[in-house]
Amino acid sequence: MYRLTRIVPLSAVLLAIFTPLKAELPTTTTVTAIRLDPDDLHRSRVGVLIWRVGVDIQHSDPRFGGLSGLHIGQDVKRLIAVSDRGYRVTAKLGYAKGALTDVTDIHVARLRRSNGAPAKGGWHDAESLSPDGNGGFLVSFERRHRIVNYPTRNGTPLANRPSRLTLPQDAATQPFNGGIEALTRLCDGRFIAISEKAKSEGNENTRGMWIGRGDTWRSTAYPTFQAFSPTGAATLPDCSVLVVERSFNIVEGVRARIVRLSAAAFDPKNKVTTQELAYIAPPLSVDNMEGIAVRKGDAGETLVYLVSDNNFSGYQRTLLMMFELAPSTTSSVKSRSTPKSSD
């Protein structure tokens, strides 16, 4: 290996010494519109999801990417996300005639641990987030498996020191890189948390799922389909829950499913079952879909947002998609059997 030795002028050394360390370089953002089906420009629906718009987001800050949890509340102009490298991401969203047109003012900052230290060095892998019902957010992390609660003060989400929740013992034994990736608050104030890879009681057709709040949780089984794993969840206005699932293999590429859990699924007397609402696979626009959020539109319609984790790879994209949920979530659903969990 050759080494290149450079003689640095004294003026350059002095400039480096006296330049403020907090100075940030300007960043640039490129937002490119995408179509639901690049091969069929007139296609506007997949399952019961009606296509509104989609964008490919590129941002020059090297910390941007890996988005794995998403929130878009009734303040529709603000996006809040977490990344699997331990960052919180906020952005402003622009709309025209109810459709997303722009993403600007992107800010990236380090999340904190419950002891106040930066969330890095093995503590960084944030995978999902959910409003906590008090203005703050719950965030799940894998590798060092945990759920923490970030209070919101001074209008800045995810910026404060969080408190750590106590989880069931079986949640602590999830696979190292396969922890809780789907987390959402239910209408009654409880939360559901679903593992990406942990099997419920060893059943190959299930994933571990926990329902509860605070330090009180109940373990149950989430049913899986083929090689799909849950990666995000969001609660609908009717109190049912949407879950985004992802699958990847070399032959079929990356695929995504959107499934619905009825509100009855959260009753201890009932077995959890899923209903497929949409199956997104090539040639449709799709990537490593990990985040999902829902909100009410101006006309009372339900809008669904999906975001992808680009894994900080030049071969993947950060896609933000916006759909409308068809008024009936049953009449147009494609029939697809879903294995039930075992007792």
Side-chain angles (χ1 to χ4, degrees):
M1 173 188 286
Y2 290 99
R3 294 185 181 273
L4 178 62
T5 301
R6 299 181 60 187
I7 299 175
V8 181
L10 178 61
S11 58
V13 175
L14 294 175
L15 179 63
I17 292 174
F18 291 103
T19 298
L21 294 178
K22 293 185 179 181
E24 295 185 0
L25 296 175
T27 57
T28 59
T29 304
T30 302
V31 178
T32 306
I34 62 172
R35 296 184 181 274
L36 174 61
D37 187 343
D39 296 336
D40 183 355
L41 304 185
H42 300 289
R43 182 165 183 177
S44 60
R45 185 166 177 149
V46 54
V48 299
L49 296 183
I50 302 168
W51 179 254
R52 284 288 188 93
V53 72
V55 293
D56 176 1
I57 309 169
Q58 297 180 352
H59 189 59
S60 61
D61 188 329
R63 301 171 300 173
F64 177 80
L67 304 186
S68 51
L70 178 68
H71 174 72
I72 297 172
Q74 289 307 115
D75 178 11
V76 300
K77 294 184 178 180
R78 183 165 70 163
L79 173 151
I80 302 171
V82 292
S83 86
D84 55 18
R85 289 194 177 177
Y87 293 105
R88 53 185 171 91
V89 179
T90 59
K92 290 183 179 178
L93 304 179
Y95 296 84
K97 298 181 179 179
L100 177 69
T101 57
D102 204 4
V103 181
T104 59
D105 198 21
I106 295 175
H107 289 278
V108 183
R110 177 68 68 179
L111 290 166
R112 299 172 67 186
R113 292 168 50 190
S114 56
N115 64 0
K120 57 183 180 179
W123 296 86
H124 62 281
D125 199 348
E127 290 293 344
S128 60
L129 81 161
S130 169
D132 66 0
N134 296 308
F137 290 90
L138 263 60
V139 176
S140 71
F141 292 79
E142 63 182 13
R143 301 177 191 265
R144 303 273 189 168
H145 300 299
R146 65 200 189 278
I147 296 177
V148 298
N149 190 181
Y150 288 89
T152 296
R153 302 188 183 96
N154 302 320
T156 304
L158 304 173
N160 296 288
R161 178 176 174 174
S163 58
R164 186 166 177 172
L165 279 64
T166 301
L167 295 182
Q169 185 175 359
D170 53 347
T173 59
Q174 298 173 88
F176 179 68
N177 192 30
I180 294 170
E181 292 222 6
L183 176 69
T184 188
R185 183 177 185 268
L186 302 176
C187 291
D188 63 7
R190 292 180 300 163
F191 294 85
I192 63 167
I194 312 173
S195 177
E196 179 192 13
K197 295 181 180 179
K199 300 174 179 61
S200 177
E201 298 182 352
N203 187 336
E204 291 291 334
N205 295 324
T206 67
R207 294 293 183 269
M209 175 171 162
W210 300 272
I211 305 174
R213 74 182 89 197
D215 296 337
T216 304
W217 297 81
R218 174 175 64 86
S219 299
T220 186
Y222 176 89
T224 57
F225 174 76
Q226 295 181 353
F228 284 86
S229 293
T231 56
T235 302
L236 289 167
D238 69 357
C239 298
S240 61
V241 167
L242 293 185
V243 177
V244 57
E245 300 177 349
R246 177 220 39 230
S247 177
F248 172 78
N249 63 59
I250 298 299
V251 176
E252 297 176 290
V254 65
R255 296 168 292 156
R257 287 202 326 151
I258 309 301
V259 303
R260 176 178 175 269
L261 305 180
S262 71
F266 313 123
D267 187 321
K269 299 177 183 179
N270 298 327
K271 183 177 294 185
V272 178
T273 59
T274 64
Q275 175 193 31
E276 181 184 292
L277 302 185
Y279 185 92
I280 310 173
L284 301 185
S285 293
V286 65
D287 210 294
N288 180 28
M289 314 311 297
E290 291 212 4
I292 185 170
V294 301
R295 71 170 180 88
K296 278 289 189 181
D298 294 338
E301 74 276 30
T302 299
L303 300 176
V304 180
Y305 295 76
L306 299 175
V307 73
S308 66
D309 172 359
N310 69 349
N311 287 313
F312 293 91
S313 167
Y315 299 100
Q316 294 180 260
R317 298 177 293 173
T318 299
L319 302 183
L320 180 61
M321 299 178 173
M322 179 181 176
F323 296 89
E324 177 185 343
L325 186 65
S328 171
T329 60
T330 57
S331 61
S332 301
V333 175
K334 182 177 180 180
S335 176
R336 186 183 298 276
S337 62
T338 303
K340 295 182 179 180
S341 57
S342 61
D343 292 323

